[in-house]
Amino acid sequence: PFSDLPRSGNTYYVTTSGGTGTGTQGDPWSLQHALSTAVAGDLVWVQAGSYAGNFSQSNNGTSSNGIIFRGYKTTTGDIASTIGSTFVRTNTSTDPTATDFPVIQGADGPSASDWGINQLGDYVQFENFVFADYGIGILQHGDIVIGKM
């Protein structure tokens, strides 16, 4: 089982229509702004929706203060990952959608050189994300990176 990285920092929010404001629920960030801005100890809640493009994350967390990016559907904490996937497919011909998860969406079809998030920072956790149409979902360069779904 995976444990969350320890953290004791600020909490921020991301939506598909977010920008570069304060990162509160009323003034959420864009995904790229969150990936560029979150620092050690921060928790970033990313609302379900389609996030198109190639993104980069480079700030470092620490062993005692990780950076956590956690997806949610409509209410923070409504998708809970503990061991393995918490997503149950009732129709095996249907992929998870942007209604249920933050979907990092690539161009038309995967390419081996195409990535969703170029992750450079250490002690970073990504939880409850779906990657679609990429050769690589998270291109990991950092140490101690946790991915949970």
Side-chain angles (χ1 to χ4, degrees):
F2 291 108
S3 298
D4 283 345
L5 289 170
R7 62 164 290 278
S8 61
N10 295 313
T11 299
Y12 298 104
Y13 300 86
V14 168
T15 66
T16 57
S17 61
T20 59
T22 60
T24 62
Q25 283 183 303
D27 189 18
W29 285 342
S30 68
L31 180 58
Q32 184 56 66
H33 187 72
L35 291 166
S36 299
T37 305
V39 296
D42 287 347
L43 168 63
V44 179
W45 288 101
V46 181
Q47 189 174 39
S50 183
Y51 298 85
N54 299 99
F55 301 93
S56 293
Q57 185 281 328
S58 61
N59 291 339
N60 292 320
T62 67
S63 60
S64 61
N65 251 336
I67 303 171
I68 300 174
F69 297 91
R70 183 174 290 151
Y72 71 100
K73 185 174 178 176
T74 56
T75 305
T76 57
D78 61 4
I79 307 172
S81 296
T82 52
I83 301 172
S85 176
T86 57
F87 176 73
V88 178
R89 291 172 70 176
T90 56
N91 178 348
T92 57
S93 66
T94 304
D95 289 330
T97 69
T99 302
D100 298 313
F101 291 95
V103 175
I104 311 303
Q105 182 67 51
D108 296 330
S111 164
S113 63
D114 198 18
W115 40 261
I117 297 176
N118 187 21
Q119 189 277 314
L120 302 164
D122 298 335
Y123 295 96
V124 178
Q125 177 174 321
F126 293 95
E127 185 175 341
N128 303 327
F129 286 84
V130 173
F131 294 85
D133 294 326
Y134 290 106
I136 301 167
I138 298 176
L139 182 58
Q140 175 192 340
H141 302 279
D143 292 329
I144 315 298
V145 176
I146 298 173
K148 300 192 318 183
M149 164 89 168

